[in-house]
Amino acid sequence: MQGLRLELRQTQQLVMTPQLQQAIRLLQMTNLELEAHVATEIEKNPLLELVDGTSDADAADATPPSTVSDDSSAQDSPSDDPGDGPGDRPNNGPGDDPAAALQEFDTSLAAENLHDMPLRREAPLPLSGAGTGIGAAGGAELPERPANGPDLRSHLSAQLRQMRAPSHATTIALCLVEALEDDGYLREPLQMLALRLRVAQAEVEEALTLLQRCDPTGVGARDLAECLSLQLAERDRLDPMMRALLANLDLLARGDARRLATATGAEPEDIADMLADLRRLDPRPGTRYAAEEPLPRVPDVLLARARDGGWEITLNPETLPRVQMDETFMLRLDSKGRECDRWIAERRSEAQWLLRSMAKRAETILTVTREIVRAQGAFFDEGPSGLRPLTLRRVAEETGLHESTVSRVAANKLIATPRGVFELKFFFMNAVGDDTEMAAETVRQRLRALVASEEAEEVFSDDELVQRLRAEGIDIARRTVAKYRKMLRIPSSVERRRRKAFA
């Protein structure tokens, strides 16, 4: 017969304390996200205050730069005791150390096979805007948005209200304005719009004609051909031959000159003139009135040449918040009763943990970045050809950190270098095949350069690209070349030969 009994068991359990959650979040944050988080914490905790200015006292509290010498033998890292600082913050035990707690958390997760954070390499951020092309014909750069001007919908609505048109048509046209996409196109089918507005489709078509009379010319178009035709009609260049060209934009995009000439009945010099006209048009007329332009991302880490020829790494001081304990506030509340003392102790503990976590975050970011710069030093001297394979595990082994910690540091962080602004995870990449010294990005850049050097009479097939790469010491398979070519959006050799002949 079974009965009740008491048993005492000793087990280990992974607990995510609020402090540990905060340490993990801080490590993944960018400097701007950290600044917003600190502002929230200051509102909740009166013992914290933001340090402003660049006085000598403030400079002493700033995170010191980390340096990487050319021979990688001399490396300066921040102090191993980030807990020291304003407010006399003693370390009361390992549980108060955010770095130790985070490392223990990562190790426990790895041991239980619960943590899987793959790091996908992405291309570097573009440093300048690219022109907008129209198929193989190239394209003109988009006009800039007028300074402090209205957005597209306000601009169009103002014009429609000033037109002499039936009020019913104007009302429907104003509804069409709201259905426009940011580039000025109306991609929702007219039949669906008529059903949604509960009007006849003929009324929607009448309103669309009204909308397409507005500036900028081309708004309200359903596709690229209609957008270009509206602009050509305004310039009195929409003749039958041009209409035939617009009806065969797919041939133009593929660079099929023979079939394009047959479809349009035009001579080569006529096609050249028509392409010149197309290059003067705006394929996305609404973009110049974009309501909001994407803000450039601010780098979290700065890399510059040191006086000894090595590299100096610093956290961006323009975006990194500086926080300290408000000692005077604590003195004013001291000895005000047991409840007040307990409240002060709780806020003091929270403030200490935040300050330690921020200091350890800064130290960890510099440590990981220093190892990345050391491992990828050839990139900063030679460019993309100097990239070497680099994995999270290798950086973790060299720094003594856990792979998950390295992954959190690399996530969403930008580094400003003499060669441009890149995401930290850009520098993590696998080797090509069995070649442990050749990074995939290096091969892709070399492949891009080979294709760019092609002449119209000599376009390389994938097999020829393999042979040329192997002649340079890059052992690569044909299927890998084809895969990299697709990643770089490089057309096939047949398509490239056709486009060069067309050009």
Side-chain angles (χ1 to χ4, degrees), residues 283-297:
R284 295 189 298 165
T287 307
R288 72 181 80 169
Y289 292 94
E292 292 183 2
E293 298 179 357
L295 296 176
R297 293 181 61 186

PDB file of all heavy atoms in Angstrom, residues 283-297:
ATOM      1  N   PRO A 283      11.884  56.555 -62.932  1.00  0.00           N
ATOM      2  CA  PRO A 283      11.055  55.350 -62.806  1.00  0.00           C
ATOM      3  C   PRO A 283      10.301  55.251 -61.497  1.00  0.00           C
ATOM      4  O   PRO A 283       9.412  54.422 -61.359  1.00  0.00           O
ATOM      5  CB  PRO A 283      12.090  54.225 -62.934  1.00  0.00           C
ATOM      6  CG  PRO A 283      13.360  54.830 -62.440  1.00  0.00           C
ATOM      7  CD  PRO A 283      13.321  56.267 -62.851  1.00  0.00           C
ATOM      8  N   ARG A 284      10.640  56.078 -60.516  1.00  0.00           N
ATOM      9  CA  ARG A 284       9.935  56.072 -59.228  1.00  0.00           C
ATOM     10  C   ARG A 284       9.628  57.519 -58.832  1.00  0.00           C
ATOM     11  O   ARG A 284      10.275  58.081 -57.949  1.00  0.00           O
ATOM     12  CB  ARG A 284      10.775  55.386 -58.162  1.00  0.00           C
ATOM     13  CG  ARG A 284      10.994  53.894 -58.430  1.00  0.00           C
ATOM     14  CD  ARG A 284      11.638  53.227 -57.247  1.00  0.00           C
ATOM     15  NE  ARG A 284      12.952  53.796 -56.966  1.00  0.00           N
ATOM     16  CZ  ARG A 284      13.618  53.602 -55.834  1.00  0.00           C
ATOM     17  NH1 ARG A 284      13.072  52.893 -54.871  1.00  0.00           N
ATOM     18  NH2 ARG A 284      14.808  54.132 -55.673  1.00  0.00           N
ATOM     19  N   PRO A 285       8.669  58.138 -59.452  1.00  0.00           N
ATOM     20  CA  PRO A 285       8.442  59.581 -59.257  1.00  0.00           C
ATOM     21  C   PRO A 285       8.027  59.948 -57.837  1.00  0.00           C
ATOM     22  O   PRO A 285       8.236  61.087 -57.421  1.00  0.00           O
ATOM     23  CB  PRO A 285       7.330  59.900 -60.259  1.00  0.00           C
ATOM     24  CG  PRO A 285       6.650  58.592 -60.502  1.00  0.00           C
ATOM     25  CD  PRO A 285       7.711  57.557 -60.400  1.00  0.00           C
ATOM     26  N   GLY A 286       7.431  59.030 -57.097  1.00  0.00           N
ATOM     27  CA  GLY A 286       6.988  59.385 -55.752  1.00  0.00           C
ATOM     28  C   GLY A 286       8.094  59.422 -54.725  1.00  0.00           C
ATOM     29  O   GLY A 286       7.923  59.984 -53.640  1.00  0.00           O
ATOM     30  N   THR A 287       9.248  58.851 -55.052  1.00  0.00           N
ATOM     31  CA  THR A 287      10.318  58.739 -54.063  1.00  0.00           C
ATOM     32  C   THR A 287      10.854  60.101 -53.637  1.00  0.00           C
ATOM     33  O   THR A 287      11.275  60.287 -52.496  1.00  0.00           O
ATOM     34  CB  THR A 287      11.458  57.875 -54.628  1.00  0.00           C
ATOM     35  OG1 THR A 287      10.923  56.638 -55.081  1.00  0.00           O
ATOM     36  CG2 THR A 287      12.509  57.603 -53.569  1.00  0.00           C
ATOM     37  N   ARG A 288      10.841  61.052 -54.554  1.00  0.00           N
ATOM     38  CA  ARG A 288      11.394  62.377 -54.208  1.00  0.00           C
ATOM     39  C   ARG A 288      10.556  63.074 -53.134  1.00  0.00           C
ATOM     40  O   ARG A 288      11.025  64.025 -52.509  1.00  0.00           O
ATOM     41  CB  ARG A 288      11.459  63.243 -55.463  1.00  0.00           C
ATOM     42  CG  ARG A 288      10.123  63.730 -55.966  1.00  0.00           C
ATOM     43  CD  ARG A 288      10.229  64.569 -57.213  1.00  0.00           C
ATOM     44  NE  ARG A 288      10.377  63.756 -58.408  1.00  0.00           N
ATOM     45  CZ  ARG A 288      10.278  64.261 -59.644  1.00  0.00           C
ATOM     46  NH1 ARG A 288      10.075  65.552 -59.809  1.00  0.00           N
ATOM     47  NH2 ARG A 288      10.397  63.469 -60.679  1.00  0.00           N
ATOM     48  N   TYR A 289       9.324  62.606 -52.936  1.00  0.00           N
ATOM     49  CA  TYR A 289       8.469  63.191 -51.901  1.00  0.00           C
ATOM     50  C   TYR A 289       8.280  62.217 -50.741  1.00  0.00           C
ATOM     51  O   TYR A 289       7.269  62.251 -50.062  1.00  0.00           O
ATOM     52  CB  TYR A 289       7.103  63.561 -52.478  1.00  0.00           C
ATOM     53  CG  TYR A 289       7.164  64.703 -53.455  1.00  0.00           C
ATOM     54  CD1 TYR A 289       7.274  64.451 -54.821  1.00  0.00           C
ATOM     55  CD2 TYR A 289       7.125  66.023 -53.020  1.00  0.00           C
ATOM     56  CE1 TYR A 289       7.335  65.488 -55.735  1.00  0.00           C
ATOM     57  CE2 TYR A 289       7.184  67.065 -53.924  1.00  0.00           C
ATOM     58  CZ  TYR A 289       7.294  66.795 -55.274  1.00  0.00           C
ATOM     59  OH  TYR A 289       7.358  67.825 -56.166  1.00  0.00           O
ATOM     60  N   ALA A 290       9.249  61.341 -50.553  1.00  0.00           N
ATOM     61  CA  ALA A 290       9.137  60.360 -49.470  1.00  0.00           C
ATOM     62  C   ALA A 290       8.922  61.083 -48.151  1.00  0.00           C
ATOM     63  O   ALA A 290       9.614  62.047 -47.827  1.00  0.00           O
ATOM     64  CB  ALA A 290      10.401  59.506 -49.394  1.00  0.00           C
ATOM     65  N   ALA A 291       7.943  60.625 -47.392  1.00  0.00           N
ATOM     66  CA  ALA A 291       7.592  61.292 -46.139  1.00  0.00           C
ATOM     67  C   ALA A 291       8.719  61.208 -45.129  1.00  0.00           C
ATOM     68  O   ALA A 291       8.976  62.134 -44.384  1.00  0.00           O
ATOM     69  CB  ALA A 291       6.320  60.677 -45.551  1.00  0.00           C
ATOM     70  N   GLU A 292       9.388  60.067 -45.104  1.00  0.00           N
ATOM     71  CA  GLU A 292      10.469  59.887 -44.154  1.00  0.00           C
ATOM     72  C   GLU A 292      11.631  59.218 -44.855  1.00  0.00           C
ATOM     73  O   GLU A 292      11.466  58.219 -45.558  1.00  0.00           O
ATOM     74  CB  GLU A 292      10.033  59.016 -42.970  1.00  0.00           C
ATOM     75  CG  GLU A 292       9.003  59.661 -42.085  1.00  0.00           C
ATOM     76  CD  GLU A 292       8.665  58.784 -40.894  1.00  0.00           C
ATOM     77  OE1 GLU A 292       9.270  57.707 -40.771  1.00  0.00           O
ATOM     78  OE2 GLU A 292       7.809  59.181 -40.105  1.00  0.00           O
ATOM     79  N   GLU A 293      12.823  59.772 -44.701  1.00  0.00           N
ATOM     80  CA  GLU A 293      14.012  59.156 -45.245  1.00  0.00           C
ATOM     81  C   GLU A 293      14.667  58.333 -44.155  1.00  0.00           C
ATOM     82  O   GLU A 293      14.720  58.754 -42.997  1.00  0.00           O
ATOM     83  CB  GLU A 293      14.973  60.230 -45.754  1.00  0.00           C
ATOM     84  CG  GLU A 293      14.382  61.055 -46.885  1.00  0.00           C
ATOM     85  CD  GLU A 293      15.333  62.121 -47.362  1.00  0.00           C
ATOM     86  OE1 GLU A 293      16.421  62.225 -46.757  1.00  0.00           O
ATOM     87  OE2 GLU A 293      15.000  62.844 -48.305  1.00  0.00           O
ATOM     88  N   PRO A 294      15.177  57.147 -44.494  1.00  0.00           N
ATOM     89  CA  PRO A 294      15.803  56.326 -43.473  1.00  0.00           C
ATOM     90  C   PRO A 294      17.008  57.023 -42.869  1.00  0.00           C
ATOM     91  O   PRO A 294      17.851  57.579 -43.575  1.00  0.00           O
ATOM     92  CB  PRO A 294      16.218  55.067 -44.251  1.00  0.00           C
ATOM     93  CG  PRO A 294      16.271  55.502 -45.683  1.00  0.00           C
ATOM     94  CD  PRO A 294      15.226  56.550 -45.826  1.00  0.00           C
ATOM     95  N   LEU A 295      17.056  57.006 -41.547  1.00  0.00           N
ATOM     96  CA  LEU A 295      18.168  57.643 -40.862  1.00  0.00           C
ATOM     97  C   LEU A 295      19.405  56.763 -40.948  1.00  0.00           C
ATOM     98  O   LEU A 295      19.322  55.543 -40.831  1.00  0.00           O
ATOM     99  CB  LEU A 295      17.805  57.880 -39.388  1.00  0.00           C
ATOM    100  CG  LEU A 295      16.655  58.849 -39.134  1.00  0.00           C
ATOM    101  CD1 LEU A 295      16.350  58.904 -37.645  1.00  0.00           C
ATOM    102  CD2 LEU A 295      16.985  60.229 -39.664  1.00  0.00           C
ATOM    103  N   PRO A 296      20.576  57.350 -41.175  1.00  0.00           N
ATOM    104  CA  PRO A 296      21.792  56.539 -41.211  1.00  0.00           C
ATOM    105  C   PRO A 296      22.083  55.958 -39.838  1.00  0.00           C
ATOM    106  O   PRO A 296      21.884  56.603 -38.813  1.00  0.00           O
ATOM    107  CB  PRO A 296      22.874  57.553 -41.628  1.00  0.00           C
ATOM    108  CG  PRO A 296      22.325  58.891 -41.219  1.00  0.00           C
ATOM    109  CD  PRO A 296      20.833  58.782 -41.363  1.00  0.00           C
ATOM    110  N   ARG A 297      22.526  54.715 -39.803  1.00  0.00           N
ATOM    111  CA  ARG A 297      22.851  54.078 -38.545  1.00  0.00           C
ATOM    112  C   ARG A 297      24.176  54.604 -38.033  1.00  0.00           C
ATOM    113  O   ARG A 297      25.119  54.821 -38.791  1.00  0.00           O
ATOM    114  CB  ARG A 297      22.898  52.559 -38.727  1.00  0.00           C
ATOM    115  CG  ARG A 297      21.547  51.955 -39.048  1.00  0.00           C
ATOM    116  CD  ARG A 297      21.638  50.456 -39.201  1.00  0.00           C
ATOM    117  NE  ARG A 297      22.103  49.826 -37.974  1.00  0.00           N
ATOM    118  CZ  ARG A 297      22.380  48.534 -37.895  1.00  0.00           C
ATOM    119  NH1 ARG A 297      22.254  47.767 -38.941  1.00  0.00           N
ATOM    120  NH2 ARG A 297      22.792  48.017 -36.751  1.00  0.00           N
TER     121      ARG A 297
END
